């Protein structure tokens, strides 16, 4: 793709807001490393990954090689993060992926990426409301006998999430810290139970076979690595908080690398113990027979019946933590687009006291309510449709957006020469592109498994992903042709050293 110099933003500063009196910018220096780490981990929702994704990887992927698949997926993401964070030293904008693609591949592709990312994040958030409603409704029914509609539970989550979002990212970060700590403590208890319980295969000793090359490259390795990558979705959101972070040049990289390594360790070790608990030879068969109940089956053996009840509670809190993160991510994406005047300008406004993107937060909460209530009115199952379908297409979209961003990062450094480090600007980004492309191809070829659908429905759902990107590209072309002044406002904040400079 040929990119003219004019396609790279030349102004430094956010687009004008027409003097809007309610625009005060995001709250500066409000987030430290720990808060951003909590947001990244909460988006991935480790417990949700262990409960919902690990059984699929073991049963339909490479079986006992699942732990090694997490290591491979984490390796690809670390390679992506090298260039991603290097570019973050020169691009400071809450638009994150959108901003990077704009600087690297131009404004038209950038707005297409923004549209794709907003659609994908929205899909994932909508799906999480379905999962939350399903699990909380089931929990209430099992404890009290009351039959509370799943959509009512989802609406409750919306209200609570919006309340946290309006108070500020720092408030949500504290709540997430508590919830994530509880998740991890329970996974540690499960691991200890597996190791020391006489009722699991692990009692005979742990084997490192799940990390062997032969186990990794067993049949279904591509499917496993694809699903492993989905458990890290949201890690790229660290850059979204660059305008609110304390010393972002240090905070964002530290938070990102720590979160990826931490999640990789949690997923790899937990799945390693689960495989050992069932026995490496029998792991795939047991995962296929138990399906989504695999973790409850293993925890029942290792810890007793009480563990299943605790997991029922924690899966609800884990999904809520993920909702809070995607709510904040989406609010800041909409804020970044709104303040450029590309869509409704009020999306780019922040509240006077808390300096939160309150209009964007309310807007995307309303959109979530519309989708959730539409599924409820039609009578579709919240888990097998809302949760599964939208999580699948959202994941496919984010993998695509990350792949586009990886290309943009390589092009940006090649054109601007603002950073000439070979590993950070050429080698790592190139390897990341190859890895992301491979995963994207596997995701597309395994899309029916990813979505849990088949036939024309799959085509329609998957078609929404490129359609969302084309919508943004078409809108950008229309703006360029019909409103040159608005097109000129598609700017991204660029920094060099500690001062703001042109690209």
């Amino acid at each position: 793709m040929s990119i003219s110099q004019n396609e790279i933003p030349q102004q430094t500063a956010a687009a004008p807001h027409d003097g809007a009196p309610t625009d005060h910018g995001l709250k500066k220096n409000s987030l430290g490393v720990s808060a951003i780490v909590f947001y990244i981990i909460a988006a991935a929702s480790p417990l949700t990954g262990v409960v919902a994704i690990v059984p699929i990887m073991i049963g339909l992927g490479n079986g006992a090689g699942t732990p090694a698949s997490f290591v491979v997926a984490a390796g690809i993401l670390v390679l992506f993060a090298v260039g991603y964070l290097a570019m973050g030293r020169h691009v400071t904008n809450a638009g994150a992926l959108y901003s990077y693609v704009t600087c690297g591949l131009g404004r038209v592709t950038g707005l297409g990426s923004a549209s794709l990312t907003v659609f994908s994040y929205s899909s994932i958030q909508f799906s999480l409301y379905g999962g939350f409603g399903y699990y909380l409704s089931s929990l209430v029914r099992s404890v009290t006998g009351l039959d509370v509609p799943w959509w009512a539970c989802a609406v409750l989550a919306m209200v609570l999430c919006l309340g946290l979002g309006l108070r500020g990212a720092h408030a949500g970060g504290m709540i997430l810290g508590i919830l994530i700590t509880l998740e991890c403590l329970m996974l540690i208890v499960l691991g200890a139970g597996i190791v020391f319980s006489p009722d699991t295969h692990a009692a005979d000793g742990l084997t490192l076979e799940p990390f062997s090359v032969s186990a990794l490259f067993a049949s279904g390795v591509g499917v496993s690595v694809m699903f492993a990558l989905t458990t890290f979705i949201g890690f790229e959101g660290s850059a979204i908080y660059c305008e609110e972070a304390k010393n972002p040049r240090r905070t964002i990289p530290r938070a990102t690398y720590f979160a990826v390594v931490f999640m990789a360790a949690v997923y790899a070790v937990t799945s390693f113990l689960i495989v050992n608990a069932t026995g490496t030879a029998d792991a795939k068969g047991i995962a296929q027979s138990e399906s989504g109940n695999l973790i409850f089956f293993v925890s029942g053996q290792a810890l007793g019946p009480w563990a299943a009840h605790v997991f029922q509670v924690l899966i609800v809190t884990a999904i809520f933590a993920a909702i809070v993160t995607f709510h904040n991510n989406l609010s800041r994406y909409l804020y970044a687009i709104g303040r450029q005047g590309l869509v409704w300008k009020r999306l780019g406004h922040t509240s006077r006291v808390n300096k939160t993107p309150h209009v964007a937060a309310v807007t995307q909460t309303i959109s979530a309510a519309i989708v959730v209530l539409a599924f409820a009115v039609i009578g579709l199952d919240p888990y097998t449709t809302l949760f599964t379908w939208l999580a699948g297409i959202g994941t496919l979209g984010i993998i695509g957006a990350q792949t586009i961003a990886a290309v943009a990062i390589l092009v940006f450094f090649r054109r601007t020469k603002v950073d000439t480090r070979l590993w950070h600007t050429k080698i790592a980004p190139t390897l990341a592109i190859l890895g992301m492309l491979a995963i994207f191809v596997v995701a597309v070829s395994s899309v029916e498994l990813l979505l849990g659908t088949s036939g024309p429905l799959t085509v329609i759902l998957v078609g929404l992903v490129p359609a969302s990107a084309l919508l943004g590209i078409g809108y950008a072309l229309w703006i360029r042709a019909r409103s040159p002044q608005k097109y000129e406002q598609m700017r991204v904040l660029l920094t060099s050293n500690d001062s703001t400079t042109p690209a």
Side-chain angles (χ1 to χ4, degrees):
M1 173 182 290
S2 176
I3 306 170
S4 67
Q5 185 63 29
N6 289 334
E7 284 298 289
I8 298 180
Q10 299 297 310
Q11 301 295 328
T12 63
H17 306 273
D18 298 332
T22 53
D23 178 18
H24 307 283
L26 297 171
K27 189 173 183 178
K28 307 297 183 183
N29 301 314
S30 60
L31 299 176
V33 173
S34 60
I36 297 174
V37 165
F38 290 143
Y39 273 109
I40 298 173
I41 296 175
S45 187
L47 190 62
T48 305
V50 169
V51 172
I53 304 299
V54 167
I56 298 175
M57 293 171 63
I58 297 176
L60 301 177
N62 58 349
T66 291
S69 299
F70 281 114
V71 176
V72 172
I76 294 173
L77 293 180
V78 167
L79 289 172
F80 174 80
V82 171
Y84 187 70
L85 296 172
M87 192 167 179
R89 295 173 60 85
H90 308 282
V91 180
T92 305
N93 191 284
L97 290 177
Y98 154 59
S99 305
Y100 292 6
V101 175
T102 298
C103 289
L105 300 179
R107 302 174 205 175
V108 173
T109 306
L111 196 53
S113 172
S115 181
L116 173 62
T117 303
V118 169
F119 168 78
S120 302
Y121 274 152
S122 296
S123 297
I124 293 175
Q125 188 193 40
F126 299 158
S127 77
L128 290 170
Y129 280 121
F132 181 89
Y134 171 81
Y135 282 113
L136 181 56
S137 178
S138 299
L139 177 62
V140 172
R141 188 182 305 112
S142 65
V143 173
T144 67
L146 297 177
D147 192 8
V148 179
W150 70 268
W151 57 266
C153 297
V155 170
L156 172 63
M158 292 178 200
V159 174
L160 295 176
C161 183
L162 179 60
L164 286 174
L166 294 178
R167 288 191 60 192
H170 61 286
M174 292 186 289
I175 299 297
L176 297 183
I178 296 172
L179 298 181
I180 291 168
T181 299
L182 293 175
E183 287 183 49
C184 294
L185 285 176
M186 189 58 193
L187 290 177
I188 292 173
V189 172
L190 174 61
I194 290 173
V195 172
F196 296 109
S197 173
D199 296 325
T200 66
H201 283 74
D204 300 325
L206 299 175
T207 173
L208 294 177
E209 182 184 344
F211 290 110
S212 66
V213 175
S214 59
L216 171 63
F217 289 102
S219 176
V221 58
V223 171
S224 280
V225 175
M226 174 194 72
F227 275 103
L229 201 66
T230 67
T231 62
F232 291 88
I233 290 295
F235 95 99
E236 74 288 339
S238 59
I240 293 174
Y241 301 98
C242 61
E243 296 183 38
E244 300 164 270
K246 301 173 183 177
N247 192 359
R249 289 197 173 191
R250 293 185 179 182
T251 302
I252 301 299
R254 289 177 180 177
T256 304
Y257 284 128
F258 177 84
V260 171
V261 173
F262 176 82
M263 288 188 293
V266 169
Y267 290 132
V269 171
T270 303
S271 59
F272 165 75
L273 292 173
I274 291 171
V275 168
N276 271 275
T278 57
T280 54
D282 300 325
K284 193 161 191 171
I286 293 175
Q288 289 175 344
S289 62
E290 294 294 333
S291 187
N293 294 318
L294 177 63
I295 305 305
F296 302 121
F297 169 78
V298 172
S299 63
Q301 281 190 324
L303 301 172
W306 66 269
H309 297 301
V310 175
F311 274 119
Q312 279 185 305
V313 174
L314 291 181
I315 192 66
V316 172
T317 61
I319 293 177
F320 179 73
I323 290 174
V324 171
T325 294
F326 280 103
H327 173 91
N328 281 289
N329 288 0
L330 265 170
S331 296
R332 281 149 184 80
Y333 260 101
L334 294 175
Y335 164 78
I337 298 172
R339 70 180 175 183
Q340 290 183 318
L342 300 179
V343 288
W344 188 32
K345 291 182 180 180
R346 288 187 62 83
L347 290 174
H349 293 174
T350 54
S351 60
R352 184 177 300 277
V353 177
N354 294 321
K355 297 184 178 180
T356 56
H358 61 300
V359 179
V362 172
T363 299
Q364 54 112 349
T365 299
I366 292 173
S367 68
I370 292 173
V371 172
V372 166
L373 294 178
F375 271 75
V377 170
I378 296 173
L380 295 176
D381 183 79
Y383 187 86
T384 59
T385 60
L386 180 55
F387 183 64
T388 305
W389 293 353
L390 297 192
I393 62 175
T395 295
L396 190 63
I398 289 298
I399 294 175
Q402 289 174 343
T403 304
I404 295 170
V407 175
I409 290 167
L410 184 65
V411 173
F412 173 79
F413 285 119
R414 185 174 181 178
R415 289 185 60 84
T416 64
K417 310 297 183 184
V418 294
D419 190 336
T420 58
R421 292 175 296 174
L422 185 62
W423 169 252
H424 291 76
T425 64
K426 292 183 175 63
I427 297 177
T430 299
L431 294 175
I433 292 171
L434 295 175
M436 298 297 291
L437 277 175
I439 297 302
F440 186 73
V441 169
V442 172
V444 172
S445 62
S446 308
V447 71
E448 292 189 348
L449 177 62
L450 183 65
L451 299 178
T453 61
S454 61
L457 179 59
T458 301
V459 176
I460 293 173
L461 290 174
V462 173
L464 293 175
V465 176
S468 66
L470 291 174
L471 179 64
I473 291 174
Y475 181 53
L477 292 173
W478 183 85
I479 292 176
R480 188 171 67 180
R482 298 295 184 90
S483 182
Q485 183 177 3
K486 181 179 289 187
Y487 187 73
E488 286 301 310
Q489 292 178 5
M490 295 171 65
R491 306 296 190 183
V492 173
L493 183 66
L494 305 182
T495 59
S496 178
N497 296 324
D498 290 327
S499 60
T500 303
T501 62

